[in-house]
Amino acid sequence: MELNFRHQLSLVCFTLLLPALCISQDSFTCSRATFYGSPDCYGNPRGACGYGEDGKTINDGNVAGVSWLWKNGSGCGACYQVRCKIPQYCDENGALVVVTDFGVGDRTDFIMSPRGYSSLGRNADASAELFKYGVVDIEYKRVPCGYSGYNLMLKVHPRSRNPHYLAILILYVGGTNDITCVEFWQVDCQEWRPMRRAFGAVFDAANPPRGDIKLRFQVSGSAGLYWVESKNVIPSDWTPEAVYDSQIQLN
């Protein structure tokens, strides 16, 4: 079938407008979401961000795995408002979920915990209907994370061994900020040395400095790219699974 020039032009214009149609005035982006199985409806303790058991219950278990939003791990801990688009079932405010995992589905940007997916619904009956769909059209946007009473926290990974190997997990990154780099102060050289992003929100270093360890963090957010130094040190007698308060408040 041949199309005249006017019809061809209309088709081209519509195709070019499709991405714009999926960006609403309040900066929501169109996508799809599904959910993963969980015996207790909470998050996955084996999530790629490395949160472990903390990843199950953070944000009351309203968490999600994401694909390109994972950003090679720097997207871990980001908060998103997710709204589904079936008026008779979907809550107008949707769900607030925290990224704790990497996941790829059938053209889905979000693979949500059952608790997170259930929060999309207006009520329990509506949520039950959404589970029957399996995959739903959604719109989402990045929103600030708020952890009342928590500063940026550093948890020593259980595989760490003092003094030969240190890995830290970064928790409670507030606002709309990403931690893109971590460095420690090398006293004998009088310079900052980078830690490696081992995976997700976990950074590590072989043969870390002896004694107290001072850290700084490269933050990417609405204020641009900048460094912030921890007001607390990790003490020389650090132990695996210990949690230390950086006394940094990111908003």
Side-chain angles (χ1 to χ4, degrees):
M1 180 179 67
E2 293 186 0
L3 298 175
N4 62 35
F5 177 76
R6 180 177 297 176
H7 288 159
Q8 290 178 24
L9 182 61
S10 298
L11 182 60
V12 169
C13 290
F14 179 74
T15 302
L16 291 173
L17 281 170
L18 276 177
L21 292 173
C22 281
I23 304 292
S24 63
Q25 289 182 350
D26 46 0
S27 301
F28 280 87
T29 301
C30 296
S31 185
R32 306 206 308 163
T34 186
F35 61 93
Y36 57 81
S38 169
D40 54 11
C41 294
Y42 282 94
N44 174 18
R46 296 175 299 280
C49 287
Y51 292 136
E53 291 297 318
D54 295 295
K56 287 187 64 177
T57 56
I58 192 170
N59 195 37
D60 197 28
N62 290 278
V63 298
V66 294
S67 50
W68 71 275
L69 295 170
W70 194 63
K71 303 179 192 175
N72 197 34
S74 67
C76 289
C79 296
Y80 290 91
Q81 182 184 2
V82 182
R83 306 190 301 205
C84 62
K85 302 175 73 174
I86 308 173
Q88 64 268 37
Y89 299 133
C90 297
D91 183 86
E92 62 181 11
N93 294 314
L96 173 67
V97 295
V98 177
V99 172
T100 58
D101 203 356
F102 173 80
V104 178
D106 178 16
R107 294 179 290 119
T108 55
D109 279 326
F110 290 85
I111 304 177
M112 305 170 72
S113 67
R115 290 178 74 89
Y117 191 84
S118 178
S119 296
L120 296 173
R122 289 177 173 271
N123 51 47
D125 291 339
S127 296
E129 292 300 318
L130 293 177
F131 276 107
K132 293 177 184 178
Y133 279 78
V135 179
V136 292
D137 290 329
I138 61 158
E139 56 184 13
Y140 70 89
K141 70 175 178 178
R142 180 88 181 260
V143 294
C145 295
Y147 299 109
S148 178
Y150 285 97
N151 296 321
L152 185 80
M153 305 294 285
L154 310 172
K155 183 174 183 178
V156 179
H157 195 275
R159 293 181 184 173
S160 299
R161 294 293 179 267
N162 195 344
H164 304 295
Y165 174 71
L166 172 65
I168 58 168
L169 168 67
I170 300 177
L171 297 167
Y172 307 119
V173 180
T176 54
N177 300 293
D178 300 331
I179 301 296
T180 55
C181 185
V182 179
E183 295 183 341
F184 60 82
W185 179 248
Q186 190 76 43
V187 176
D188 52 352
C189 300
Q190 290 292 291
E191 66 180 9
W192 291 99
R193 294 280 181 87
M195 299 183 76
R196 179 184 69 126
R197 186 187 291 277
F199 59 93
V202 178
F203 292 81
D204 69 356
N207 301 313
R210 302 296 176 96
D212 295 345
I213 300 174
K214 183 166 60 173
L215 299 174
R216 70 174 184 174
F217 310 91
Q218 188 179 66
V219 181
S220 175
S222 57
L225 191 67
Y226 62 98
W227 288 94
V228 59
E229 187 175 323
S230 177
K231 298 176 183 177
N232 255 352
V233 296
I234 296 178
S236 59
D237 60 349
W238 57 264
T239 58
E241 301 198 73
V243 180
Y244 301 102
D245 187 344
S246 72
Q247 293 189 357
I248 295 171
Q249 184 67 246
L250 296 177
N251 297 313

